Amino acid sequence: NAGVTQTPKFRVLKTGQSMTLLCAQDMNHEYMYWYRQDPGMGLRLIHYSVGEGTTAKGEVPDGYNVSRLKKQNFLLGLESAAPSQTSVYFCASEPLGTRPTDTQYFGPGTRLTVL
Amino acid sequence: QKEVEQDPGPLSVPEGAIVSLNCTYSNSAFQYFMWYRQYSRKGPELLMYTYSSGNKEDGRFTAQVDKSSKYISLFIRDSQPSDSATYLCAMSARSTLTFGKGTMLLVSP
C-alpha cells in the first residue's frame, strides 16, 4: 500500500493564480482532512470530509475549496492564490471505527510558495 | 488564549536523558489525547493516544493526562538521536483534532 500520497510535492505560484492539490489514499478510509502547517502556528484544519460526496469547513477555510467525488481522493483548490497561503499542506485520512482515538494517517506534504 | 498551548522549544538533551514534553489546554470537553511525532520534512505519525486521565506506557514512551489540571505529558526514557523530531500534542472532543504547535526535540549523541 502506498498509504496517503500528495501531488505535487512542491509548487511556486504567483499571486492570483489557481491550482489544485491532490490527495489520494489506498486504504479505503472514510474520513479525509486537509491541514496547513505554518511556523509558530502548528497544524490547522482547512476542510475535511466524512465520506464520499461530503465536505465540511475546518478552522481556516477561507480562500480554499475542496471536493471528494471519489472516496480515495480529496482535492484542495486555491482559486486565487495569495502570499498568505504560502505554507506546507498536509492531507490525512482516517478509517471508520477508530474514533474516538482519531488515528489519522498523514501524507508527506506539499510545500507551496505564493509570490 | 489558544485552546492548546505547547512550548515550541527547541529542547536539547544528551542521549540517554529522560525527556518530558507537555501541553496545556483550556477546553474541558477534550477527552481524547494524542501525541504525534513529525520528522523534518515528513508528515506527522501517531505515537500514542490516551483517553481521559491516567497513564499509558509503550516501550520507552509514557503518556500522562491530568484532566483536573488540563495538562498532558509525554515522557521519553533513554532518549536516542533517532527521537530527534517535533512532537505534536493533539486533542479531540469526539470531533476534529486540535493540535498544539509542536515541540522540537534534539537528542545529541
Side-chain angles (χ1 to χ4, degrees):
Chain A
N1 285 354
V4 179
T5 58
Q6 293 182 231
T7 308
K9 290 185 170 52
F10 304 93
R11 186 73 185 268
V12 178
L13 288 179
K14 293 181 180 178
T15 297
Q17 287 185 318
S18 64
M19 78 163 294
T20 300
L21 282 68
L22 170 64
C23 176
Q25 52 96 2
D26 60 1
M27 298 175 283
N28 200 36
H29 287 175
E30 203 67 30
Y31 306 122
M32 295 187 75
Y33 306 84
W34 274 108
Y35 293 91
R36 59 178 290 174
Q37 187 173 39
D38 303 290
M41 299 295 290
L43 276 166
R44 293 182 292 169
L45 182 63
I46 304 172
H47 285 279
Y48 64 102
S49 168
V50 298
E52 182 178 318
T54 74
T55 63
K57 293 180 180 180
E59 180 186 354
V60 289
D62 293 342
Y64 306 95
N65 56 76
V66 287
S67 65
R68 183 109 181 261
L69 298 179
K70 294 182 178 180
K71 187 177 182 179
Q72 64 267 34
N73 295 336
F74 195 27
L75 278 64
L76 178 71
L78 287 74
E79 289 188 349
S80 179
S84 61
Q85 293 178 304
T86 293
S87 187
V88 181
Y89 292 85
F90 286 102
C91 175
S93 70
E94 177 187 339
L96 190 65
T98 64
R99 299 238 166 142
T101 59
D102 290 305
T103 306
Q104 295 187 15
Y105 296 82
F106 283 80
T110 294
R111 293 182 174 274
L112 175 66
T113 301
V114 183
L115 302 175
Chain B
Q1 181 189 11
K2 280 193 67 75
E3 281 192 297
V4 180
E5 300 280 358
Q6 186 176 11
D7 188 329
L11 177 62
S12 295
V13 301
E15 183 176 355
I18 297 174
V19 175
S20 172
L21 304 166
N22 312 296
C23 287
T24 59
Y25 63 95
S26 58
N27 187 348
S28 57
F30 288 142
Q31 297 185 64
Y32 308 99
F33 305 91
M34 285 129 269
W35 286 95
Y36 280 78
R37 178 174 61 194
Q38 185 177 20
Y39 290 112
S40 181
R41 295 184 172 264
K42 300 288 187 183
E45 56 179 344
L46 181 66
L47 196 57
M48 294 188 72
Y49 72 86
T50 53
Y51 168 66
S52 195
S53 288
N55 290 3
K56 184 173 182 179
E57 190 173 320
D58 184 0
R60 296 185 295 111
F61 299 89
T62 300
Q64 194 172 77
V65 174
D66 182 349
K67 289 192 73 179
S68 63
S69 301
K70 295 190 177 69
Y71 188 89
I72 70 170
S73 300
L74 177 71
F75 298 96
I76 307 174
R77 290 183 299 279
D78 188 25
S79 56
Q80 302 295 309
S82 58
D83 294 328
S84 297
T86 295
Y87 290 80
L88 301 143
C89 62
M91 310 178 185
S92 169
R94 295 194 72 90
S95 180
T96 56
L97 286 178
T98 300
F99 284 86
K101 295 179 183 179
T103 299
M104 181 184 291
L105 172 66
L106 302 170
V107 182
S108 54

